[in-house]
Amino acid sequence: MNWFEEDVFNEGPFDRFEFKVKKKLEKQLQRWNERQFMLVNSKNIPFNSLKYNAVTKDMYDWLHMINPDVQNIEWNARHYIMMARVKQTIRKNIGKRILCIHGADHNYWYYETLIKERDIQVIYPLR
């Protein structure tokens, strides 16, 4: 389900900034990551909570504000392609249970996208 063209696009979110600004932004991202990891085990299954999703979404919104060009390619376009593949799989397997496995930071995007779909029951957080 994943997609990314690392051979075509490999710019990081802070690469456009001069050294001091880049270091400051990296520290801010580290604080975001620390907030995420404080919530990792808030449920029986790590990374499996709406609270984790909320912090993660806020972090990626912040990254988008910092460098929208990179986030639109590296994050948003990637998600649209990943979700198109999930929806195609769902259409090909009507009535079946499907488990989507992906990196934890993608949870919020999957959840927010799939709950809007008719005729799909999303079970999240997992129990």
Side-chain angles (χ1 to χ4, degrees):
M1 298 297 171
N2 201 353
W3 166 86
F4 198 69
E5 303 288 337
E6 291 179 353
D7 61 319
V8 176
F9 187 82
N10 62 4
E11 181 180 343
F14 312 133
D15 289 352
R16 296 181 182 179
F17 296 95
E18 63 98 27
F19 181 79
K20 285 184 181 181
V21 173
K22 185 176 181 177
K23 290 299 174 191
K24 180 182 174 187
L25 292 169
E26 287 170 348
K27 285 187 181 206
Q28 287 179 279
L29 181 58
Q30 183 178 357
R31 285 194 293 275
W32 278 108
N33 293 147
E34 289 166 1
R35 288 180 61 200
Q36 283 181 297
F37 284 109
M38 286 173 39
L39 298 167
V40 166
N41 291 314
S42 63
K43 297 285 182 181
N44 291 339
I45 301 170
F47 305 102
N48 182 48
S49 73
L50 296 174
K51 288 180 182 179
Y52 180 87
N53 287 8
V55 169
T56 302
K57 183 180 186 316
D58 289 347
M59 179 181 75
Y60 283 99
D61 287 346
W62 171 76
L63 284 166
H64 189 270
M65 186 180 66
I66 299 297
N67 192 336
D69 293 337
V70 167
Q71 288 308 113
N72 282 332
I73 294 169
E74 205 173 74
W75 200 243
N76 298 342
R78 180 179 179 194
H79 277 121
Y80 284 114
I81 290 168
M82 291 166 68
M83 290 312 307
R85 289 183 175 149
V86 169
K87 290 176 187 179
Q88 288 171 359
T89 301
I90 291 168
R91 282 193 295 277
K92 290 177 184 176
N93 294 281
I94 294 172
K96 294 183 181 176
R97 295 180 77 172
I98 299 169
L99 175 64
C100 293
I101 300 174
H102 49 80
D105 281 11
H106 303 283
N107 283 349
Y108 78 89
W109 191 291
Y110 272 65
Y111 180 76
E112 289 180 0
T113 302
L114 292 174
I115 62 169
K116 295 175 189 172
E117 294 293 314
R118 294 181 336 164
D119 302 324
I120 295 176
Q121 179 188 11
V122 176
I123 301 172
Y124 182 84
L126 297 175
R127 302 180 245 300

